[in-house]
Amino acid sequence: MKIKRLFIAAVASVLFGAEAIAAQRWVATGNEQLYQAMLTCLRNFQGELFGEPVYYQAQNLEMAITAAHKGDEYAWMSQVHNFCNYLEDIYPPVMGHPRESLDDKYETIRRNLVLLRDFPMHQVWQTNDSPSPTQIQIDAFNAANKQWLHYKRAQFFEFLRGPRPAGNEIQVVKLYSSGVVFRTKSACIGMDITYESRLYDDEGIEELADILDVIYVTHAHTDHFDQKLLQAMLRKGKCVVGPHTMEKYISGSDWAGKKYLWSDTQEEAVLVGGVASTQAFMSEQKPEPCLLYLVDLGGWRMIHVGDNSEHVNEQNYLRYPMADFVMSPVFQGLVTLFKSTYGGLNPDGIEQYYINIHENEYLHTVDGRIAFDYMYKDANSLGNTVNRYPNCLILDCGEHIVMSK
């Protein structure tokens, strides 16, 4: 594969014990503690990029945040988002092969932006931990993050309103958390797309339903689907694929679209919507069943395992050729995933890309992202050249990449 738009490389690997290490770092936190932790992260960012232009930009941000904090103790939330937005526009997503060292400045910037972004997204009051935030912290949190989500949503639609890829290219577009869109010259599919009113509003649902041909849902948790979007897809004659538990959300007799709702493994490939050859493996993790998808879209193969599956069921993929893209949360255990799916870690010369999902999720508990801090910061994980983990795309909400074979 060659990268059309982007420049340099990133590699993902999560070693054994990552969950325990990361869990020690992410705990429920009040605003002042979270603010101080963010400053530490920002200063570490500067330390890794001393002498680079980004060093001075981060230094300016620290001074601005420190000054603003004296008058508004919550102002840092929006300032961090704006800083990350600015740098992400300058330094687009990176992906590629394992490197011999971890001193690639471009990739260092991307890794640190993902980590820094998490601080204003760091939900605390839905956990069982203490402390609980005050109402003013909740209001500031909501205002800063909704502003960020609207900004990123605009980027998402701006790109998808543009031209389709040519030839055998594919566009990979991240919307939010576990949601990824894949578009070729002739078709467009979405996987685990959520567009809830708590995130945005109803604006854009109809347009997104026009853009997508097929939408996949791994399981019926509300951060993995949007009921209004699914219904709009069916009204417009599009296809919805999901576990049988989705029926109650999309029951209707007068819709032109087709529903593929499976209660068991779908071993035989089904051509969904005339565009996407689809197989699914049931991976019921009580009480919510989850479908693990293997999809072929115009010769591009992709795996999405949601975040609710049993690892033993991922061994189904051993019988199939390698996928081009694998989507899984870091905390689900990438070592286990890739050993079970292919009998070992990614060998040399295999062009396969891992897309991290479930990171930086607004209104989600801390446990949803307990390992990516370890993934991006520990010297033995991201960029490890011994274990040969698959290539990694560091892709934030609203961002995209165009690839070709």
Side-chain angles (χ1 to χ4, degrees), residues 58-82:
Q59 191 176 54
N60 290 337
L61 173 65
E62 181 181 350
M63 290 188 293
I65 287 176
T66 303
H69 189 66
K70 296 176 181 178
D72 181 354
E73 60 182 319
Y74 304 100
W76 68 272
M77 295 180 180
S78 292
Q79 288 171 306
V80 168
H81 274 315
N82 292 339

Side-chain angles (χ1 to χ4, degrees), residues 117-357:
R117 175 80 79 184
D118 185 68
F119 287 93
M121 300 292 288
H122 196 82
Q123 171 66 294
V124 295
W125 60 87
Q126 289 187 354
T127 71
N128 293 323
D129 301 316
S130 60
S132 297
T134 62
Q135 185 61 47
I136 189 172
Q137 181 178 353
I138 293 172
D139 293 341
F141 172 90
N142 286 330
N145 288 302
K146 286 186 176 181
Q147 180 186 40
W148 168 73
L149 286 163
H150 279 82
Y151 174 80
K152 287 296 188 175
R153 177 186 66 179
Q155 285 187 326
F156 174 82
F157 278 108
E158 180 182 7
F159 178 75
L160 287 178
R161 288 171 187 143
R164 288 181 175 273
N168 67 345
E169 293 176 334
I170 190 168
Q171 297 167 343
V172 184
V173 196
K174 188 77 175 288
L175 176 55
Y176 168 76
S177 187
S178 301
V180 185
V181 170
F182 296 93
R183 185 166 70 166
T184 66
K185 65 179 180 181
S186 57
C188 186
I189 67 171
M191 309 186 90
D192 272 11
I193 300 294
T194 185
Y195 206 94
E196 301 171 88
S197 59
R198 69 179 188 177
L199 301 176
Y200 307 114
D201 47 42
D202 291 343
E203 180 188 356
I205 286 181
E206 295 295 322
E207 181 177 2
L208 188 51
D210 287 331
I211 291 171
L212 298 173
D213 298 302
V214 181
I215 192 165
Y216 294 85
V217 179
T218 58
H219 61 288
H221 287 168
T222 55
D223 57 339
H224 292 259
F225 78 98
D226 178 79
Q227 183 175 8
K228 291 181 180 179
L229 176 59
L230 299 183
Q231 292 177 349
M233 291 277 294
L234 292 171
R235 287 200 315 272
K236 295 173 184 290
K238 308 298 183 70
C239 296
V240 173
V241 187
H244 61 282
T245 48
M246 296 301 302
E247 175 63 42
K248 61 185 176 182
Y249 300 104
I250 51 177
S251 59
S253 57
D254 57 345
W255 293 332
K258 186 169 182 179
K259 297 179 287 186
Y260 297 83
L261 301 180
W262 295 320
S263 58
D264 203 351
T265 291
Q266 185 64 38
E267 188 73 40
E268 294 293 325
V270 176
L271 187 61
V272 176
V275 298
S277 177
T278 304
Q279 293 160 281
F281 307 105
M282 179 56 69
S283 182
E284 188 162 5
Q285 191 174 72
K286 305 289 184 182
E288 192 63 58
C290 180
L291 288 178
L292 313 181
Y293 292 110
L294 174 60
V295 178
D296 188 306
L297 181 67
W300 291 91
R301 294 167 58 79
M302 53 214 63
I303 289 170
H304 198 305
V305 303
D307 63 4
N308 196 46
S309 62
E310 297 284 1
H311 287 310
V312 65
N313 295 299
E314 294 158 359
Q315 294 177 6
N316 286 293
Y317 293 120
L318 252 176
R319 303 193 302 274
Y320 302 94
M322 273 194 169
D324 299 299
F325 303 103
V326 176
M327 287 152 281
S328 170
V330 175
F331 64 80
Q332 192 150 329
L334 298 188
V335 172
T336 306
L337 172 63
F338 286 100
K339 279 189 173 180
S340 66
T341 54
Y342 301 120
L345 300 177
N346 196 25
D348 293 347
I350 299 298
E351 297 283 6
Q352 181 184 53
Y353 293 90
Y354 167 72
I355 301 175
N356 183 25
I357 61 175

Side-chain angles (χ1 to χ4, degrees), residues 37-52:
M38 180 278 303
L39 284 180
T40 299
C41 181
L42 183 60
R43 288 162 186 161
N44 290 337
F45 187 5
Q46 295 175 55
E48 292 187 61
L49 295 159
F50 184 78
E52 299 291 323

